[in-house]
Amino acid sequence: MSEKCFNMTWNDEYRQITRVHLGLAISAMIFQLLFLIQVILNRSLRELSMFWVYNYLLTDFLILIQTFMEYILRTTLPYCISHTLFYILCNLEAYITSYMTVLEAYILVCLNFTRYYMIVKNCNISREHPRLLIGVTICLYTFSIAIFVFQVEIFQIVTLHSHQQSQNCHFQYHDIKTQIGNLILVLLIPTILNLYFMTLTAIHVRQSRRTVRMQANKHVHLLVQSFIVYILWLGLWSPNVIVTYVFWNRYLGAITRFGNLTNTLCDPVIFMFIDRRFLKVWKQTLYKIVRSSRRIQPTTTSNEPNVSTVVVK
């Protein structure tokens, strides 16, 4: 008895959309790699105070890897694959997408919380409490996957969407209560916490700006960076969260995914050109390149052979 066939390839219409996704992902990956190279080559950028920034950008990097792998698999797999392979790939696709969404939302909470403590309480949690930092990181990465494992495998209030050729694998929620509950957990709670910590930090910076001007300017810079990063995340990423948890539509999902990939493109650019530490490194790198190009200037020599003139008397 022949085994039933399962098809994971996209149709031609959806494949055209994903090619645009791919182009955007390639652009984002270039900036991600430029950012990574700067961190590797400059020891001053490898600080514990940047821990949550690097975690946040790591999730962006993994999202881009997922985009590339998804495109490769769905355009190269044969039209007929086994149920086992289909089940593994489809589950991975659904879990990774949901996992990264929760992870990014709460990593931003941790980033704004640590900056709040650093600016308002004058306490660098990354340096003074490294064990706490490790513990929170482990809990965060475990919690982000556990909430879906419990819902899908244990309580079975969420199931894997039955695959169609023109859609991606995603979770299907059985009732409106589950949808709203996940939306509150993934979007509303992180948004409230982020706005709360950023507002408290902004109030403190405004009140203390006149006292210690140099330190206040540094804090304002960090605060502006936090607001830009979070507003972009809220504007570009949250529409996809709402579409995923409230009403799934393949075309809406494709449109909101543009926002996700645009966000991964903007994030490294913000940190590279708004953060003073990275801006300083970029200026130093540019100075070295200009200086090296001036040193290695080719001397103009004539290609014609040097023919000595012989005078015959």
Side-chain angles (χ1 to χ4, degrees), residues 170-184:
H170 63 278
F171 290 128
Q172 187 172 9
Y173 301 90
H174 292 175
D175 52 58
I176 190 67
K177 292 180 181 179
T178 307
Q179 291 176 316
I180 294 174
N182 278 279
L183 196 62
I184 290 171

Side-chain angles (χ1 to χ4, degrees), residues 7-272:
N7 180 18
M8 285 194 74
T9 58
W10 286 317
N11 59 21
D12 293 334
E13 181 184 3
Y14 200 80
R15 192 171 294 191
Q16 293 295 328
I17 299 173
T18 56
R19 283 174 184 168
V20 183
H21 289 167
L22 182 66
L24 194 57
I26 291 171
S27 302
M29 181 59 78
I30 292 171
F31 282 99
Q32 289 280 346
L33 292 175
L34 286 173
F35 183 90
L36 182 62
I37 290 169
Q38 287 294 89
V39 174
I40 293 172
L41 295 180
N42 295 275
R43 191 175 180 181
S44 61
L45 298 177
R46 300 195 292 271
E47 298 179 358
L48 271 177
S49 59
M50 300 286 289
F51 181 79
W52 292 114
V53 171
Y54 295 146
N55 269 273
Y56 178 64
L57 290 174
L58 175 63
T59 57
D60 282 348
F61 186 81
L62 294 176
I63 288 165
L64 293 175
I65 295 296
Q66 182 209 1
T67 303
F68 294 138
M69 293 303 298
E70 185 181 330
Y71 183 86
I72 292 169
L73 289 172
R74 287 184 175 274
T75 54
T76 59
L77 279 174
Y79 284 95
C80 181
I81 62 173
S82 66
H83 174 264
T84 304
L85 181 59
F86 164 77
Y87 182 79
I88 292 171
L89 294 177
C90 209
N91 269 279
L92 280 173
E93 187 176 303
Y95 269 105
I96 290 173
T97 303
S98 301
Y99 178 63
M100 290 301 169
T101 301
V102 179
L103 202 57
E104 283 217 338
Y106 282 94
I107 283 175
L108 284 173
V109 173
C110 294
L111 174 62
N112 287 313
F113 175 75
T114 52
R115 286 188 171 177
Y116 161 77
Y117 251 77
M118 183 176 66
I119 295 172
V120 178
K121 307 290 185 181
N122 197 24
C123 173
N124 192 330
I125 296 177
S126 303
R127 292 179 182 176
E128 297 181 18
H129 305 284
R131 291 182 181 178
L132 177 62
L133 187 71
I134 294 170
V136 170
T137 306
I138 294 171
C139 290
L140 178 61
Y141 278 80
T142 307
F143 164 77
S144 299
I145 191 66
I147 58 174
F148 294 107
V149 172
F150 274 95
Q151 291 184 85
V152 177
E153 303 296 336
I154 298 175
F155 298 111
Q156 296 182 351
I157 55 175
V158 179
T159 55
L160 189 67
H161 189 274
S162 55
H163 180 263
Q164 296 178 14
Q165 184 181 4
S166 58
Q167 288 187 338
N168 296 336
C169 296
H170 63 278
F171 290 128
Q172 187 172 9
Y173 301 90
H174 292 175
D175 52 58
I176 190 67
K177 292 180 181 179
T178 307
Q179 291 176 316
I180 294 174
N182 278 279
L183 196 62
I184 290 171
L185 189 65
V186 176
L187 187 60
L188 186 61
I189 293 176
T191 300
I192 292 171
L193 290 173
N194 277 302
L195 293 176
Y196 174 74
F197 289 123
M198 286 192 292
T199 303
L200 289 180
T201 308
I203 293 170
H204 174 80
V205 169
R206 185 176 181 181
Q207 290 175 348
S208 62
R209 193 169 184 179
R210 295 179 180 178
T211 55
V212 189
R213 192 167 187 81
M214 187 178 294
Q215 188 73 9
N217 288 338
K218 180 182 177 181
H219 292 165
V220 169
H221 204 78
L222 286 173
L223 189 62
V224 169
Q225 183 193 91
S226 296
F227 269 108
I228 292 174
V229 169
Y230 194 69
I231 288 170
L232 279 174
W233 186 89
L234 206 59
L236 296 174
W237 194 279
S238 59
N240 187 63
V241 178
I242 296 169
V243 168
T244 302
Y245 290 106
V246 179
F247 44 90
W248 173 259
N249 179 281
R250 61 182 178 181
Y251 295 110
L252 282 176
I255 292 169
T256 55
R257 193 165 188 182
F258 281 110
N260 291 9
L261 295 172
T262 304
N263 187 66
T264 61
L265 172 64
C266 294
D267 286 336
V269 175
I270 291 169
F271 288 110
M272 283 192 295

